[in-house]
Coordinates of all heavy atoms in Angstrom, one line a residue:
M1 N 18.9 -2.6 14.0 CA 17.5 -3.0 13.8 C 17.5 -3.6 12.3 O 18.1 -3.0 11.4 CB 16.6 -1.7 13.9 CG 15.2 -2.0 13.5 SD 14.1 -0.6 13.8 CE 14.0 0.1 12.2
K2 N 16.7 -4.6 12.2 CA 16.5 -5.2 10.9 C 15.4 -4.6 10.2 O 14.3 -4.3 10.8 CB 16.3 -6.7 11.0 CG 17.5 -7.5 11.5 CD 17.3 -9.0 11.3 CE 18.5 -9.8 11.7 NZ 19.5 -9.9 10.7
N3 N 15.5 -4.3 8.9 CA 14.5 -3.7 8.1 C 13.7 -4.8 7.4 O 14.2 -5.6 6.7 CB 15.0 -2.7 7.1 CG 15.6 -1.5 7.7 OD1 15.0 -0.9 8.5 ND2 16.8 -1.1 7.3
T4 N 12.4 -4.8 7.7 CA 11.5 -5.8 7.1 C 10.4 -5.2 6.3 O 9.9 -4.1 6.7 CB 10.9 -6.7 8.2 OG1 10.1 -5.9 9.1 CG2 12.0 -7.4 9.0
I5 N 10.0 -5.9 5.3 CA 8.8 -5.5 4.5 C 7.9 -6.7 4.4 O 8.3 -7.8 4.3 CB 9.2 -5.2 3.0 CG1 10.3 -4.1 3.0 CG2 8.0 -4.8 2.2 CD1 9.9 -2.7 3.4
E6 N 6.6 -6.4 4.6 CA 5.5 -7.4 4.4 C 4.5 -6.9 3.4 O 4.1 -5.8 3.5 CB 4.8 -7.6 5.7 CG 5.6 -8.3 6.8 CD 4.8 -8.5 8.1 OE1 3.6 -8.1 8.1 OE2 5.4 -8.9 9.1
I7 N 4.2 -7.8 2.5 CA 3.1 -7.5 1.5 C 2.1 -8.6 1.6 O 2.4 -9.8 1.4 CB 3.7 -7.5 0.0 CG1 4.8 -6.4 -0.1 CG2 2.5 -7.2 -0.9 CD1 5.4 -6.3 -1.4
Q8 N 0.9 -8.2 2.1 CA -0.2 -9.1 2.2 C -1.1 -8.9 1.0 O -1.5 -7.8 0.7 CB -0.9 -8.8 3.5 CG -2.0 -9.9 3.9 CD -2.6 -9.7 5.2 OE1 -2.4 -8.7 5.9 NE2 -3.3 -10.7 5.7
Y9 N -1.4 -10.0 0.3 CA -2.2 -9.9 -0.9 C -3.3 -10.9 -0.9 O -3.3 -11.9 -0.2 CB -1.2 -10.1 -2.1 CG -0.7 -11.5 -2.1 CD1 -1.3 -12.5 -2.9 CD2 0.4 -11.9 -1.4 CE1 -0.8 -13.8 -2.9 CE2 0.9 -13.2 -1.4 CZ 0.3 -14.1 -2.1 OH 0.7 -15.4 -2.1
C10 N -4.3 -10.6 -1.7 CA -5.5 -11.5 -1.8 C -5.3 -12.6 -2.9 O -5.0 -12.3 -4.0 CB -6.7 -10.6 -2.2 SG -8.2 -11.6 -2.3
T11 N -5.4 -13.8 -2.4 CA -5.3 -14.9 -3.4 C -6.5 -15.1 -4.2 O -6.5 -15.5 -5.4 CB -5.0 -16.3 -2.6 OG1 -6.1 -16.5 -1.7 CG2 -3.7 -16.2 -1.9
Q12 N -7.7 -14.7 -3.7 CA -8.9 -14.8 -4.4 C -8.9 -13.8 -5.6 O -9.5 -14.1 -6.7 CB -10.1 -14.4 -3.5 CG -10.4 -15.4 -2.4 CD -11.4 -14.9 -1.4 OE1 -11.3 -13.7 -1.0 NE2 -12.3 -15.7 -1.0
C13 N -8.3 -12.7 -5.4 CA -8.2 -11.6 -6.5 C -7.0 -11.9 -7.4 O -6.9 -11.1 -8.4 CB -8.1 -10.3 -5.9 SG -9.5 -9.8 -4.8
K14 N -6.2 -12.9 -7.1 CA -5.0 -13.3 -7.9 C -4.0 -12.1 -8.0 O -3.6 -11.8 -9.1 CB -5.5 -13.7 -9.3 CG -6.5 -14.9 -9.2 CD -6.4 -15.8 -10.4 CE -7.5 -16.9 -10.4 NZ -7.6 -17.7 -9.3
W15 N -3.7 -11.5 -6.9 CA -2.8 -10.4 -6.8 C -1.3 -10.9 -6.5 O -0.5 -10.0 -6.2 CB -3.3 -9.4 -5.8 CG -4.4 -8.6 -6.4 CD1 -4.8 -8.4 -7.7 CD2 -5.4 -7.9 -5.6 NE1 -5.9 -7.7 -7.8 CE2 -6.4 -7.4 -6.5 CE3 -5.6 -7.8 -4.2 CZ2 -7.5 -6.6 -6.1 CZ3 -6.7 -7.0 -3.8 CH2 -7.6 -6.5 -4.7
L16 N -1.1 -12.2 -6.6 CA 0.3 -12.6 -6.3 C 1.3 -12.0 -7.3 O 2.4 -11.6 -6.8 CB 0.4 -14.2 -6.4 CG 1.8 -14.8 -6.3 CD1 2.4 -14.4 -5.0 CD2 1.7 -16.3 -6.5
M17 N 1.0 -11.9 -8.5 CA 1.9 -11.4 -9.5 C 2.2 -9.9 -9.2 O 3.4 -9.4 -9.3 CB 1.4 -11.5 -10.9 CG 1.3 -12.9 -11.4 SD 2.9 -13.7 -11.5 CE 3.6 -12.9 -12.9
R18 N 1.2 -9.1 -8.8 CA 1.4 -7.7 -8.4 C 2.3 -7.7 -7.2 O 3.3 -6.8 -7.1 CB 0.1 -7.1 -8.1 CG 0.2 -5.6 -7.8 CD -1.2 -5.0 -7.4 NE -2.2 -5.2 -8.4 CZ -2.5 -4.3 -9.4 NH1 -1.8 -3.2 -9.4 NH2 -3.4 -4.5 -10.2
A19 N 2.1 -8.5 -6.2 CA 2.9 -8.5 -5.0 C 4.3 -8.9 -5.3 O 5.3 -8.3 -4.7 CB 2.3 -9.5 -4.0
T20 N 4.5 -9.9 -6.2 CA 5.9 -10.3 -6.5 C 6.6 -9.2 -7.3 O 7.8 -9.0 -7.1 CB 6.0 -11.7 -7.2 OG1 5.2 -11.6 -8.4 CG2 5.5 -12.8 -6.3
W21 N 5.9 -8.6 -8.2 CA 6.6 -7.5 -9.0 C 7.0 -6.4 -8.0 O 8.1 -5.9 -8.1 CB 5.6 -7.0 -10.0 CG 6.1 -5.7 -10.7 CD1 7.1 -5.6 -11.5 CD2 5.5 -4.4 -10.5 NE1 7.3 -4.3 -11.9 CE2 6.3 -3.5 -11.3 CE3 4.5 -3.9 -9.8 CZ2 6.1 -2.2 -11.4 CZ3 4.2 -2.5 -9.9 CH2 5.0 -1.7 -10.6
M22 N 6.1 -6.0 -7.1 CA 6.5 -4.9 -6.2 C 7.6 -5.4 -5.3 O 8.5 -4.6 -5.0 CB 5.2 -4.5 -5.3 CG 4.2 -3.8 -6.1 SD 2.9 -3.2 -5.1 CE 1.9 -2.2 -6.3
S23 N 7.6 -6.6 -4.9 CA 8.7 -7.2 -4.1 C 10.1 -7.0 -4.8 O 11.1 -6.6 -4.3 CB 8.5 -8.6 -3.8 OG 7.3 -8.8 -3.0
Q24 N 10.0 -7.4 -6.1 CA 11.3 -7.3 -6.9 C 11.7 -5.9 -7.0 O 12.9 -5.6 -6.9 CB 11.0 -7.9 -8.3 CG 12.1 -7.8 -9.2 CD 11.8 -8.3 -10.6 OE1 10.8 -8.9 -10.9 NE2 12.6 -7.9 -11.6
E25 N 10.8 -5.0 -7.3 CA 11.2 -3.6 -7.4 C 11.8 -3.1 -6.1 O 12.9 -2.4 -6.1 CB 10.0 -2.7 -7.7 CG 9.5 -2.9 -9.1 CD 10.5 -2.2 -10.1 OE1 11.1 -1.2 -9.8 OE2 10.6 -2.8 -11.2
L26 N 11.2 -3.4 -4.9 CA 11.8 -3.0 -3.6 C 13.1 -3.6 -3.3 O 14.0 -2.9 -2.9 CB 10.7 -3.3 -2.5 CG 9.4 -2.5 -2.6 CD1 8.5 -2.9 -1.5 CD2 9.7 -1.0 -2.5
L27 N 13.2 -4.9 -3.6 CA 14.5 -5.6 -3.3 C 15.6 -5.1 -4.2 O 16.8 -5.0 -3.8 CB 14.3 -7.1 -3.5 CG 13.5 -7.8 -2.4 CD1 13.2 -9.2 -2.8 CD2 14.3 -7.8 -1.1
T28 N 15.3 -4.7 -5.4 CA 16.3 -4.1 -6.3 C 16.7 -2.7 -5.9 O 17.9 -2.4 -5.8 CB 15.8 -4.0 -7.8 OG1 15.4 -5.4 -8.2 CG2 16.8 -3.5 -8.7
T29 N 15.8 -1.9 -5.5 CA 16.1 -0.5 -5.1 C 16.7 -0.5 -3.7 O 17.6 0.3 -3.5 CB 14.8 0.3 -5.0 OG1 14.2 0.3 -6.3 CG2 15.0 1.7 -4.6
F30 N 16.3 -1.3 -2.8 CA 16.8 -1.3 -1.4 C 17.6 -2.6 -1.1 O 17.5 -3.1 0.0 CB 15.6 -1.2 -0.4 CG 14.8 0.1 -0.6 CD1 13.6 0.0 -1.3 CD2 15.3 1.3 -0.2 CE1 12.9 1.2 -1.5 CE2 14.5 2.5 -0.3 CZ 13.3 2.4 -1.0
N31 N 18.4 -3.0 -2.0 CA 19.2 -4.3 -1.8 C 20.1 -4.3 -0.6 O 20.3 -5.3 0.0 CB 20.0 -4.6 -3.1 CG 21.0 -3.6 -3.5 OD1 20.7 -2.4 -3.4 ND2 22.1 -4.0 -4.0
D32 N 20.6 -3.1 -0.2 CA 21.4 -3.1 1.0 C 20.7 -2.8 2.3 O 21.2 -2.9 3.4 CB 22.5 -2.0 0.8 CG 23.5 -2.4 -0.3 OD1 23.8 -3.6 -0.5 OD2 24.1 -1.5 -0.9
E33 N 19.4 -2.3 2.1 CA 18.7 -1.9 3.3 C 17.6 -2.9 3.8 O 17.3 -3.0 5.0 CB 17.9 -0.6 3.0 CG 18.9 0.6 2.8 CD 19.4 0.8 1.4 OE1 18.9 0.1 0.5 OE2 20.3 1.5 1.2
I34 N 17.1 -3.7 2.9 CA 16.0 -4.7 3.3 C 16.7 -6.0 3.8 O 17.5 -6.6 3.1 CB 15.1 -5.0 2.2 CG1 14.3 -3.7 1.8 CG2 14.1 -6.1 2.5 CD1 13.3 -3.9 0.6
D35 N 16.4 -6.4 5.0 CA 16.9 -7.6 5.6 C 15.9 -8.8 5.3 O 16.4 -10.0 5.3 CB 17.1 -7.5 7.1 CG 18.1 -6.4 7.4 OD1 19.3 -6.6 7.0 OD2 17.8 -5.4 8.1
A36 N 14.6 -8.5 5.2 CA 13.7 -9.6 5.0 C 12.4 -9.0 4.3 O 12.0 -7.9 4.6 CB 13.2 -10.3 6.3
L37 N 11.9 -9.7 3.3 CA 10.7 -9.3 2.6 C 9.8 -10.6 2.6 O 10.2 -11.6 2.1 CB 11.0 -8.8 1.2 CG 9.7 -8.2 0.5 CD1 10.2 -7.1 -0.4 CD2 8.9 -9.2 -0.2
T38 N 8.6 -10.4 3.1 CA 7.6 -11.5 3.2 C 6.4 -11.3 2.4 O 5.8 -10.2 2.6 CB 7.3 -11.7 4.7 OG1 8.5 -11.9 5.5 CG2 6.4 -13.0 4.9
L39 N 6.0 -12.3 1.7 CA 4.7 -12.2 1.0 C 3.7 -13.0 1.8 O 4.0 -14.2 2.2 CB 4.8 -12.8 -0.4 CG 5.7 -12.1 -1.4 CD1 5.7 -12.8 -2.7 CD2 5.2 -10.6 -1.6
I40 N 2.5 -12.4 2.2 CA 1.6 -13.1 3.0 C 0.2 -13.2 2.3 O -0.4 -12.2 2.0 CB 1.3 -12.3 4.3 CG1 2.7 -12.1 5.0 CG2 0.3 -13.0 5.2 CD1 2.6 -11.1 6.2
P41 N -0.1 -14.5 1.9 CA -1.4 -14.7 1.2 C -2.6 -14.4 2.2 O -2.5 -14.7 3.4 CB -1.4 -16.1 0.8 CG -0.3 -16.8 1.5 CD 0.6 -15.7 2.1
G42 N -3.6 -13.8 1.6 CA -4.8 -13.5 2.4 C -6.0 -13.6 1.5 O -5.9 -14.0 0.3
T43 N -7.2 -13.1 2.0 CA -8.4 -13.2 1.2 C -9.2 -11.9 1.4 O -8.8 -11.0 2.2 CB -9.3 -14.4 1.6 OG1 -9.6 -14.3 3.0 CG2 -8.6 -15.7 1.3
G44 N -10.3 -11.7 0.8 CA -11.2 -10.6 1.0 C -10.7 -9.3 0.4 O -11.1 -8.2 0.9
G45 N -9.9 -9.4 -0.7 CA -9.5 -8.2 -1.3 C -8.4 -7.4 -0.6 O -8.2 -6.2 -0.9
I46 N -7.7 -8.1 0.3 CA -6.6 -7.4 1.0 C -5.4 -7.2 0.2 O -5.0 -8.0 -0.7 CB -6.3 -8.2 2.3 CG1 -5.4 -7.4 3.2 CG2 -5.5 -9.5 1.9 CD1 -5.4 -7.9 4.6
F47 N -4.8 -6.0 0.3 CA -3.5 -5.7 -0.2 C -2.9 -4.6 0.7 O -3.3 -3.4 0.6 CB -3.6 -5.2 -1.7 CG -2.2 -5.3 -2.4 CD1 -1.9 -6.4 -3.1 CD2 -1.3 -4.2 -2.3 CE1 -0.7 -6.5 -3.7 CE2 -0.1 -4.3 -2.9 CZ 0.2 -5.5 -3.6
K48 N -2.1 -5.1 1.6 CA -1.5 -4.1 2.6 C 0.0 -4.3 2.5 O 0.5 -5.4 2.3 CB -2.0 -4.4 4.0 CG -3.4 -4.1 4.2 CD -3.8 -4.3 5.7 CE -5.2 -3.9 5.9 NZ -5.6 -4.0 7.3
I49 N 0.7 -3.2 2.7 CA 2.2 -3.2 2.8 C 2.7 -2.6 4.1 O 2.2 -1.5 4.4 CB 2.8 -2.5 1.5 CG1 2.2 -3.1 0.3 CG2 4.3 -2.5 1.6 CD1 2.6 -2.3 -1.0
K50 N 3.6 -3.3 4.7 CA 4.2 -2.8 6.0 C 5.7 -2.7 5.8 O 6.3 -3.5 5.2 CB 3.9 -3.7 7.1 CG 2.4 -3.7 7.6 CD 2.2 -4.6 8.8 CE 0.8 -4.7 9.2 NZ 0.7 -5.5 10.4
A51 N 6.2 -1.7 6.4 CA 7.7 -1.5 6.5 C 8.0 -1.4 8.0 O 7.5 -0.5 8.7 CB 8.2 -0.3 5.7
N52 N 8.8 -2.3 8.5 CA 9.2 -2.3 9.9 C 7.9 -2.3 10.8 O 7.8 -1.5 11.7 CB 10.1 -1.2 10.3 CG 11.5 -1.4 9.6 OD1 11.8 -2.5 9.2 ND2 12.3 -0.3 9.6
D53 N 6.9 -3.1 10.4 CA 5.7 -3.2 11.1 C 4.8 -2.0 11.1 O 3.7 -2.0 11.7 CB 5.9 -3.7 12.6 CG 6.5 -5.1 12.7 OD1 6.1 -5.9 11.9 OD2 7.3 -5.3 13.6
K54 N 5.1 -1.0 10.3 CA 4.3 0.2 10.1 C 3.6 0.1 8.8 O 4.2 -0.1 7.8 CB 5.2 1.4 10.1 CG 4.4 2.7 9.9 CD 5.3 3.9 9.8 CE 4.4 5.1 9.5 NZ 5.1 6.2 8.9
E55 N 2.2 0.1 8.9 CA 1.5 0.0 7.6 C 1.7 1.3 6.8 O 1.5 2.4 7.3 CB 0.0 -0.1 7.9 CG -0.8 -0.4 6.7 CD -2.3 -0.7 7.0 OE1 -2.6 -1.7 7.6 OE2 -3.2 0.2 6.7
I56 N 2.2 1.1 5.6 CA 2.4 2.2 4.7 C 1.5 2.3 3.5 O 1.4 3.3 2.8 CB 3.9 2.3 4.2 CG1 4.2 1.0 3.4 CG2 4.8 2.5 5.4 CD1 5.6 1.1 2.7
W57 N 0.7 1.2 3.3 CA -0.3 1.2 2.2 C -1.4 0.2 2.5 O -1.1 -1.0 2.9 CB 0.4 0.9 0.9 CG -0.6 1.2 -0.3 CD1 -1.5 0.4 -0.8 CD2 -0.7 2.5 -0.9 NE1 -2.2 1.1 -1.8 CE2 -1.7 2.4 -1.9 CE3 0.0 3.7 -0.8 CZ2 -2.1 3.4 -2.7 CZ3 -0.4 4.8 -1.6 CH2 -1.4 4.6 -2.5
C58 N -2.6 0.6 2.3 CA -3.7 -0.3 2.4 C -4.6 0.0 1.2 O -5.1 1.1 1.0 CB -4.5 -0.1 3.7 SG -6.0 -1.1 3.8
R59 N -4.8 -1.0 0.3 CA -5.6 -0.8 -0.9 C -7.0 -0.3 -0.6 O -7.5 0.6 -1.3 CB -5.7 -2.1 -1.7 CG -6.4 -2.0 -3.0 CD -6.8 -3.3 -3.6 NE -7.8 -4.0 -2.8 CZ -9.1 -3.8 -2.8 NH1 -9.6 -2.8 -3.6 NH2 -9.9 -4.4 -2.0
K60 N -7.7 -0.8 0.4 CA -9.0 -0.3 0.8 C -9.0 1.1 1.2 O -9.9 1.9 0.8 CB -9.7 -1.3 1.8 CG -10.0 -2.6 1.2 CD -10.6 -3.6 2.2 CE -10.9 -4.9 1.6 NZ -11.5 -5.8 2.5
T61 N -8.1 1.5 2.1 CA -8.0 2.9 2.6 C -7.6 3.8 1.5 O -8.2 4.9 1.4 CB -7.0 2.9 3.7 OG1 -7.3 2.0 4.7 CG2 -6.9 4.3 4.3
E62 N -6.7 3.5 0.6 CA -6.2 4.4 -0.4 C -6.9 4.3 -1.7 O -6.6 4.9 -2.7 CB -4.7 4.1 -0.6 CG -3.8 4.2 0.6 CD -3.7 5.6 1.1 OE1 -3.9 6.6 0.3 OE2 -3.4 5.8 2.3
N63 N -7.9 3.4 -1.8 CA -8.8 3.2 -3.0 C -8.0 2.8 -4.2 O -8.2 3.3 -5.3 CB -9.6 4.5 -3.3 CG -10.6 4.8 -2.2 OD1 -11.3 3.9 -1.7 ND2 -10.6 6.0 -1.8
G64 N -7.0 1.8 -4.0 CA -6.3 1.3 -5.1 C -4.9 0.9 -4.7 O -4.5 0.9 -3.5
F65 N -4.1 0.7 -5.7 CA -2.7 0.2 -5.5 C -1.7 1.4 -5.7 O -2.0 2.4 -6.4 CB -2.3 -0.8 -6.5 CG -3.2 -2.1 -6.4 CD1 -4.3 -2.2 -7.2 CD2 -2.9 -3.0 -5.5 CE1 -5.1 -3.3 -7.1 CE2 -3.7 -4.2 -5.4 CZ -4.8 -4.3 -6.2
P66 N -0.6 1.4 -5.0 CA 0.4 2.5 -5.1 C 1.1 2.4 -6.5 O 1.4 1.3 -7.0 CB 1.3 2.2 -4.0 CG 1.3 0.7 -3.8 CD -0.1 0.3 -4.1
E67 N 1.4 3.6 -7.0 CA 2.4 3.7 -8.1 C 3.7 3.2 -7.5 O 4.0 3.4 -6.3 CB 2.5 5.1 -8.6 CG 1.3 5.6 -9.3 CD 1.0 4.9 -10.6 OE1 1.9 4.6 -11.3 OE2 -0.2 4.8 -10.9
I68 N 4.6 2.6 -8.3 CA 5.8 2.0 -7.8 C 6.7 3.1 -7.2 O 7.4 2.9 -6.2 CB 6.5 1.1 -8.8 CG1 7.5 0.2 -8.1 CG2 7.2 2.0 -9.9 CD1 6.9 -0.8 -7.2
T69 N 6.7 4.3 -7.8 CA 7.5 5.4 -7.3 C 7.0 5.9 -6.0 O 7.8 6.2 -5.1 CB 7.5 6.6 -8.3 OG1 6.2 7.0 -8.6 CG2 8.3 6.3 -9.6
T70 N 5.7 5.9 -5.8 CA 5.1 6.2 -4.5 C 5.5 5.2 -3.4 O 5.9 5.6 -2.3 CB 3.6 6.3 -4.6 OG1 3.2 7.3 -5.5 CG2 2.9 6.7 -3.2
L71 N 5.4 3.9 -3.8 CA 5.7 2.9 -2.9 C 7.2 3.0 -2.4 O 7.5 2.8 -1.3 CB 5.4 1.5 -3.5 CG 5.8 0.3 -2.6 CD1 5.1 0.4 -1.2 CD2 5.5 -1.0 -3.3
K72 N 8.1 3.2 -3.4 CA 9.5 3.3 -3.0 C 9.8 4.5 -2.1 O 10.6 4.3 -1.2 CB 10.3 3.4 -4.3 CG 10.4 2.1 -5.1 CD 11.2 2.3 -6.4 CE 11.3 1.0 -7.2 NZ 12.2 1.2 -8.4
T73 N 9.1 5.6 -2.3 CA 9.3 6.7 -1.5 C 8.8 6.4 0.0 O 9.4 6.7 0.9 CB 8.5 7.9 -2.0 OG1 9.0 8.2 -3.3 CG2 8.7 9.2 -1.1
L74 N 7.6 5.7 0.1 CA 7.0 5.4 1.4 C 8.0 4.4 2.1 O 8.2 4.6 3.3 CB 5.7 4.8 1.2 CG 4.6 5.7 0.7 CD1 3.3 4.9 0.4 CD2 4.2 6.8 1.8
V75 N 8.5 3.4 1.4 CA 9.4 2.5 2.0 C 10.7 3.2 2.5 O 11.2 3.0 3.6 CB 9.7 1.3 1.1 CG1 10.9 0.5 1.6 CG2 8.5 0.4 0.9
R76 N 11.2 4.0 1.6 CA 12.5 4.8 1.9 C 12.3 5.6 3.2 O 13.2 5.6 4.0 CB 12.8 5.7 0.7 CG 14.2 6.4 0.9 CD 14.1 7.8 1.4 NE 13.1 8.6 0.9 CZ 13.2 9.4 -0.2 NH1 14.3 9.5 -0.8 NH2 12.2 10.2 -0.5
D77 N 11.2 6.3 3.3 CA 10.9 7.1 4.4 C 10.9 6.4 5.7 O 11.3 7.0 6.8 CB 9.6 7.9 4.3 CG 9.6 8.9 3.1 OD1 10.7 9.2 2.6 OD2 8.6 9.4 2.8
V78 N 10.6 5.1 5.7 CA 10.6 4.3 6.9 C 12.0 3.6 7.2 O 12.5 3.6 8.3 CB 9.5 3.2 6.9 CG1 9.6 2.3 8.1 CG2 8.2 3.9 6.9
I79 N 12.6 3.0 6.1 CA 13.7 2.1 6.4 C 15.1 2.8 6.1 O 16.1 2.4 6.6 CB 13.7 0.8 5.6 CG1 13.8 1.0 4.1 CG2 12.4 0.0 5.9 CD1 14.0 -0.3 3.3
A80 N 15.1 3.8 5.2 CA 16.3 4.5 4.8 C 16.1 6.0 4.5 O 16.3 6.3 3.3 CB 17.0 3.7 3.7
P81 N 15.7 6.8 5.4 CA 15.3 8.2 5.1 C 16.3 9.0 4.4 O 15.9 9.9 3.7 CB 15.0 8.8 6.5 CG 14.9 7.6 7.5 CD 15.6 6.5 6.9
K82 N 17.6 8.7 4.5 CA 18.6 9.5 3.9 C 19.0 9.0 2.5 O 19.8 9.6 1.8 CB 19.9 9.5 4.8 CG 19.6 10.2 6.1 CD 20.9 10.3 6.9 CE 20.5 11.0 8.2 NZ 21.6 11.0 9.2
K83 N 18.4 7.9 2.1 CA 18.7 7.3 0.8 C 18.1 8.2 -0.4 O 17.0 8.5 -0.3 CB 18.2 5.9 0.6 CG 18.5 5.2 -0.7 CD 18.0 3.8 -0.7 CE 18.4 3.1 -2.0 NZ 19.8 2.6 -2.0
N84 N 19.0 8.4 -1.3 CA 18.5 9.2 -2.5 C 18.0 8.2 -3.5 O 18.6 7.2 -3.9 CB 19.7 9.9 -3.1 CG 19.3 10.8 -4.3 OD1 18.5 10.4 -5.1 ND2 19.9 12.0 -4.3
L85 N 16.8 8.5 -4.0 CA 16.1 7.6 -5.0 C 16.3 8.0 -6.4 O 15.6 7.7 -7.3 CB 14.6 7.5 -4.7 CG 14.3 6.8 -3.4 CD1 12.8 6.8 -3.1 CD2 14.8 5.3 -3.3
G86 N 17.3 8.9 -6.6 CA 17.7 9.3 -8.0 C 16.6 10.0 -8.7 O 16.1 11.0 -8.2
H87 N 16.2 9.5 -9.8 CA 15.2 10.1 -10.7 C 13.8 10.4 -10.0 O 13.2 11.3 -10.3 CB 15.0 9.4 -12.0 CG 14.3 8.1 -11.8 ND1 14.9 6.9 -11.4 CD2 13.0 7.7 -12.1 CE1 14.1 5.9 -11.3 NE2 12.9 6.4 -11.7
I88 N 13.5 9.5 -9.1 CA 12.2 9.7 -8.3 C 12.3 10.9 -7.5 O 11.3 11.7 -7.5 CB 11.9 8.4 -7.4 CG1 11.7 7.2 -8.3 CG2 10.7 8.7 -6.5 CD1 11.6 5.9 -7.4
D89 N 13.4 11.2 -6.8 CA 13.5 12.4 -6.0 C 13.6 13.6 -6.9 O 13.1 14.7 -6.6 CB 14.7 12.3 -5.1 CG 14.5 11.3 -3.9 OD1 13.3 11.2 -3.5 OD2 15.5 10.8 -3.4
R90 N 14.3 13.5 -8.0 CA 14.4 14.7 -8.9 C 13.1 15.1 -9.5 O 12.8 16.2 -9.6 CB 15.4 14.4 -10.0 CG 16.9 14.4 -9.6 CD 17.9 14.4 -10.7 NE 17.8 13.2 -11.5 CZ 18.4 12.1 -11.2 NH1 19.2 12.0 -10.1 NH2 18.4 11.0 -12.0
K91 N 12.3 14.1 -9.8 CA 11.0 14.3 -10.4 C 10.1 15.1 -9.4 O 9.4 16.0 -9.7 CB 10.3 13.0 -10.8 CG 9.0 13.2 -11.5 CD 8.3 11.9 -11.7 CE 8.6 11.3 -13.1 NZ 7.8 10.1 -13.4
K92 N 10.1 14.6 -8.1 CA 9.3 15.3 -7.1 C 9.7 16.7 -6.9 O 8.9 17.6 -6.7 CB 9.5 14.5 -5.7 CG 8.7 13.3 -5.7 CD 9.0 12.5 -4.4 CE 8.5 13.2 -3.2 NZ 8.7 12.4 -2.0
K93 N 11.0 17.0 -6.9 CA 11.5 18.4 -6.7 C 11.1 19.3 -7.9 O 10.9 20.5 -7.7 CB 13.0 18.4 -6.6 CG 13.5 17.9 -5.3 CD 15.0 17.8 -5.1 CE 15.4 17.1 -3.8 NZ 16.8 16.9 -3.8
N94 N 11.0 18.8 -9.1 CA 10.6 19.6 -10.3 C 9.1 19.8 -10.4 O 8.7 20.6 -11.2 CB 11.1 18.9 -11.5 CG 12.7 18.9 -11.6 OD1 13.3 19.8 -11.0 ND2 13.2 18.0 -12.3
T95 N 8.3 19.1 -9.6 CA 6.8 19.4 -9.7 C 6.3 20.4 -8.8 O 7.0 20.9 -7.9 CB 6.1 18.0 -9.5 OG1 6.4 17.5 -8.2 CG2 6.3 17.1 -10.6

């Protein structure tokens, strides 16, 4: 199975930079696991992220944007559940 990520962002809100930054972070962290990452322009304040067609974040539902550590954990849980995220996982265990 190919692992895919989609980030749909609002062009009216000028969220392209946020979407590309998150893309870069995900591609760096999951360089061996992600087969395709797509940025999808939209309107109306949309900012949604899908991993393998499963919605893992919606700005309107979650009342904001994900912290990058939260996003990486959500993506990992879908595409590579056994992957250790290093300091992110250690921080969660210590809290």
Side-chain angles (χ1 to χ4, degrees):
M1 176 172 98
K2 289 194 180 275
N3 289 313
T4 61
I5 305 293
E6 292 179 2
I7 300 177
Q8 190 172 12
Y9 64 95
C10 179
T11 56
Q12 295 168 313
C13 301
K14 306 208 182 306
W15 288 336
L16 173 60
M17 291 298 286
R18 183 185 303 265
T20 56
W21 170 69
M22 289 184 176
S23 299
Q24 178 184 343
E25 287 289 325
L26 293 175
L27 287 168
T28 301
T29 301
F30 300 99
N31 59 321
D32 293 329
E33 292 84 12
I34 293 176
D35 297 299
L37 190 146
T38 307
L39 297 178
I40 304 169
T43 57
I46 194 161
F47 198 90
K48 290 185 179 183
I49 303 171
K50 291 182 179 180
N52 293 344
D53 293 322
K54 177 185 180 202
E55 186 175 294
I56 60 170
W57 194 271
C58 174
R59 185 194 64 81
K60 290 181 180 177
T61 304
E62 301 293 334
N63 296 314
F65 298 97
E67 293 291 327
I68 199 65
T69 53
T70 300
L71 179 57
K72 288 179 180 183
T73 301
L74 292 169
V75 168
R76 185 268 313 270
D77 291 349
V78 174
I79 70 168
K82 294 181 181 174
K83 183 176 181 77
N84 185 320
L85 294 177
H87 70 281
I88 294 171
D89 286 334
R90 286 192 296 276
K91 184 187 266 186
K92 283 174 63 176
K93 288 177 184 172
N94 293 334
T95 55

